[in-house]
Amino acid sequence: MSIKIKEELKEWTINFLKNKNAILQTLQKIEEEKEGYDLKIIYDDKETYVLIKPFIDNFEELEEKIDQNKNITLVLLNSKKNLDILIDKWEYFAGFDKLTIYFVNMFSISDKKWVIRPYLHNKISEASALKPGLKSMFNTVDSITEKEAESKTL
């Protein structure tokens, strides 16, 4: 995976958070490369640690970073591979009440992102509707492969 893809996704995330803050006005500071995370977001009432993983290539490495005691945001590209990992590891992700996952395609013609909080989603949805529901949300944003992402970031 290209470093350029990760950097563009990080830049998109920072811009998204700043734009979101224009309404909420609770963001105090964005720190890069803090405490083993790509971003540390300091709000008036909480801190959020951001992991930017365009593609989940090493699930074990990701497991080490997701902490039950921290607000964690995981930013992924909206790829079929990442969706399949979410579905396959659903029980794991749903075990963290402070985890938010963004699926992003900053090159998408339609929506640029969709968001899920697996813990909350798991509480309110039926198990039989999980896969079709996630696929439906996935389809709101153009999917992107690693090859497509690399060609757009050159």
Side-chain angles (χ1 to χ4, degrees):
M1 179 207 42
S2 163
I3 301 285
K4 183 78 171 136
I5 297 169
K6 183 172 180 171
E7 287 304 313
E8 287 202 25
L9 193 53
K10 181 192 252 183
E11 184 179 325
W12 181 91
T13 302
I14 291 169
N15 288 332
F16 170 75
L17 293 168
K18 287 179 178 177
N19 288 337
K20 187 176 169 184
N21 188 57
I23 297 166
L24 301 175
Q25 298 291 311
T26 60
L27 178 68
Q28 290 181 6
K29 188 192 232 182
I30 298 175
E31 298 177 343
E32 294 190 43
E33 308 300 327
K34 288 290 180 178
E35 301 176 39
Y37 295 88
D38 296 299
L39 300 170
K40 179 179 179 182
I41 315 302
I42 301 170
Y43 295 98
D44 291 342
D45 61 343
K46 68 179 180 179
E47 294 178 348
T48 298
Y49 297 85
V50 180
L51 291 168
I52 298 172
K53 301 284 184 194
F55 299 95
I56 301 173
D57 295 321
N58 185 340
F59 186 75
E60 290 74 27
E61 180 182 295
L62 186 62
E63 282 182 297
E64 292 173 14
K65 298 285 185 182
I66 298 177
D67 184 331
Q68 186 67 43
N69 299 312
K70 292 180 179 176
N71 293 304
I72 303 289
T73 296
L74 178 58
V75 180
L76 308 168
L77 283 176
N78 194 50
S79 72
K80 175 83 167 71
K81 176 182 171 185
N82 287 337
L83 176 66
D84 289 344
I85 290 170
L86 175 66
I87 291 168
D88 187 50
K89 303 288 187 180
W90 181 255
E91 290 302 318
Y92 172 79
F93 288 118
F96 295 93
D97 64 334
K98 297 178 184 177
L99 174 65
T100 303
I101 304 174
Y102 284 82
F103 282 80
V104 177
N105 180 352
M106 56 269 197
F107 309 109
S108 180
I109 295 169
S110 58
D111 286 336
K112 305 289 186 207
K113 58 141 178 59
W114 62 276
V115 185
I116 189 158
R117 297 206 52 199
Y119 178 83
L120 182 61
H121 191 91
N122 202 48
K123 294 276 185 206
I124 61 174
S125 68
E126 305 253 344
S128 62
L130 176 67
K131 203 170 186 176
L134 291 175
K135 285 182 177 181
S136 179
M137 289 189 290
F138 172 81
N139 287 327
T140 64
V141 175
D142 294 336
S143 67
I144 188 165
T145 65
E146 191 165 353
K147 187 175 184 178
E148 290 168 334
E150 286 177 359
S151 73
K152 293 177 189 272
T153 58
L154 296 176

